[in-house]
Amino acid sequence: MNPTALARLRSVLQTQVDQGLLPGAVALVHHRGHTVLHAAVGQQRPPSAEAVVPAMAPDTVFRIYSMTKPIASLVAMMLMEEGRLLLSHPVAHYLPAFAGQQVYDPASGTTTPAGREATVHDLLRHTAGLSYAWELGTVPDAYRAARIGSRRHSNAELAAALGPLPLVHAPGSCWEYSRATDVLGAVLEVIEGAPLGAILQRRVFDPLGMHDTGFSVPPAQQHRLAEPFARDPQTGLNVALIDVTAPPAFESAGGGLVSTASDYARFLQLMLGRGTASGPNGPVRLLGRATVDFMTADHLGSLPVAGDILPTGYGFGLGVAVRTANGQATRTGSAGHYSWSGLGGTFFFVDPAEDLFAILLTQAPGQLRYLCELYPALVYAAL
């Protein structure tokens, strides 16, 4: 990779800090078996009159929100390989509250029985008819009334509250970004008979040596936690991220983890290695190569896509967006490249064709869309 272009990448991020758009950021680029960039710019948290603010460090801990989804999806693939989970199984096979679901029709204001039950496959690819209920309307109002996504709910309580609510689409008919991966977390807990955090720790974090990844930050490590501006620098709106200073009741498979660039790189090394990576005690194999290829293939085909979360030129696999062509999208990338981001301001992509992955970690929710466009351009410019 071109060292001048890598230096420019760091310089552009520093400019974002200097302009007051980001408190700080950590960038990591891994190419052909080597980490060619692992840079920290700015400060770990906004300036404060009460205390000295530490500089951003390569080992700073970030809330990664929806970058949790690919890790939970990996565990589902592991259970599938063990014969303990079938993607064709109805969700109700594991979570009875999802039996007999109804689809809401906004034109008539009524519900009708779903044509078929949502499956585990639907959860993984966000075609289960669920929603994040960000907008206004009858179904979002029902989500809010049931306190869907409350951090006081356990995964089992979330599933029990969400299952009876009306669907926004018939299962399998449309892609809509949703609470589906949170429901998947409840499915994993039923199969494994353990809390999600313990499952991820045993199956992924310990084997890969991801020591700084979990659903909360221990008190002794909280000085390493990145924080956002109190107000978005462009809109002036208040910024509030999840509290990760104590273990939550809700271990969200869809968005609850904290991690570092080095830790997440270990996970992406496993993905780029098609199921194998170096662990703290030697080589680790968590998944077969054909299963990783299956997970990172497009599972949508010609299905319609609701909303603007999924960029043009991308389909969706099992937990990740998948680039379907070299062109079409406004961001650089090869066909087969896969990626996802986190609401707090984090982003990654993996490009098997270039033997490449890259991670960008910030805590700046208002800049996320811009950074998802900017960062791939800077990384690919260095090839």
Side-chain angles (χ1 to χ4, degrees):
M1 297 192 85
N2 184 321
T4 301
L6 290 174
R8 183 175 59 214
L9 183 158
R10 188 188 188 285
S11 175
V12 170
L13 293 176
Q14 182 63 56
T15 298
Q16 299 291 306
V17 172
D18 295 342
Q19 292 176 345
L21 298 175
L22 307 173
V26 174
L28 187 148
V29 180
H30 189 91
H31 184 233
R32 294 184 177 174
H34 300 282
T35 298
V36 295
L37 178 75
H38 189 183
V41 298
Q43 296 175 305
Q44 203 165 276
R45 57 184 70 95
S48 169
E50 290 77 31
V52 175
V53 179
M56 186 66 78
D59 67 347
T60 294
V61 179
F62 295 81
R63 301 163 181 84
I64 63 169
Y65 280 90
S66 288
M67 281 169 52
T68 306
K69 289 180 170 73
I71 298 176
S73 300
L74 171 78
V75 174
M77 295 294 97
M78 295 169 72
L79 292 173
M80 183 189 75
E81 285 197 336
E82 294 167 9
R84 300 171 63 200
L85 172 70
L86 292 181
L87 301 196
S88 59
H89 266 165
V91 177
H93 179 84
Y94 305 96
L95 303 171
F98 281 77
Q101 288 187 298
Q102 300 275 315
V103 182
Y104 178 71
D105 178 10
S108 65
T110 61
T111 61
T112 56
R116 68 164 176 81
E117 292 190 83
T119 64
V120 176
H121 187 226
D122 288 317
L123 294 180
L124 284 158
R125 63 178 188 159
H126 292 279
T127 58
L130 303 175
S131 172
Y132 261 121
W134 287 321
E135 64 286 339
L136 299 175
T138 300
V139 175
D141 288 347
Y143 273 54
R144 285 186 277 273
R147 297 174 60 247
I148 300 304
S150 167
R151 286 178 58 81
R152 296 181 181 179
H153 279 168
S154 66
N155 282 318
E157 289 167 340
L158 167 76
L162 182 56
L165 299 184
L167 301 175
V168 293
H169 307 286
S173 67
C174 182
W175 185 92
E176 178 160 337
Y177 199 44
S178 70
R179 289 278 174 194
T181 313
D182 287 330
V183 177
L184 179 69
V187 171
L188 300 181
E189 289 187 342
V190 169
I191 295 171
E192 287 278 57
L196 181 62
I199 297 168
L200 299 183
Q201 192 71 46
R202 177 174 59 85
R203 285 190 163 271
V204 182
F205 305 154
D206 285 345
L208 294 180
M210 297 171 65
H211 303 303
D212 289 317
T213 304
F215 286 108
S216 63
V217 183
Q221 302 301 324
Q222 288 175 9
H223 64 283
R224 295 167 52 203
L225 181 62
E227 296 291 355
F229 292 123
R231 293 178 182 272
D232 184 276
Q234 292 182 310
T235 66
L237 297 175
N238 291 336
V239 177
L241 302 184
I242 56 173
D243 180 9
V244 292
T245 59
F250 180 36
E251 295 183 333
S252 168
L257 288 177
V258 298
S259 193
T260 63
S262 293
D263 266 20
Y264 210 82
R266 292 183 175 93
F267 168 64
L268 295 186
Q269 283 176 315
L270 178 90
M271 296 299 292
L272 185 61
R274 298 170 78 197
T276 61
S278 297
N281 300 312
V284 173
R285 178 189 182 277
L286 298 188
L287 214 58
R289 59 180 176 81
T291 306
V292 175
D293 293 348
F294 171 69
M295 178 180 174
T296 57
D298 174 37
H299 284 247
L300 297 186
S302 60
L303 283 181
V305 171
D308 61 354
I309 298 293
L310 198 60
T312 301
Y314 284 77
F316 203 82
L318 306 181
V320 290
V322 180
R323 183 74 173 248
T324 54
N326 287 340
Q328 301 179 23
T330 56
R331 63 183 71 163
T332 321
S334 310
H337 138 148
Y338 53 92
S339 61
W340 205 239
S341 60
L343 178 68
T346 61
F347 174 71
F348 80 87
F349 69 82
V350 178
D351 189 333
E354 295 288 355
D355 197 2
L356 169 72
F357 67 76
I359 304 164
L360 179 65
L361 303 179
T362 72
Q363 300 287 232
Q367 306 304 312
L368 177 60
R369 287 191 176 234
Y370 172 68
L371 294 171
C372 288
E373 295 280 330
L374 175 71
Y375 193 57
L378 297 173
V379 173
Y380 280 102
L383 283 172

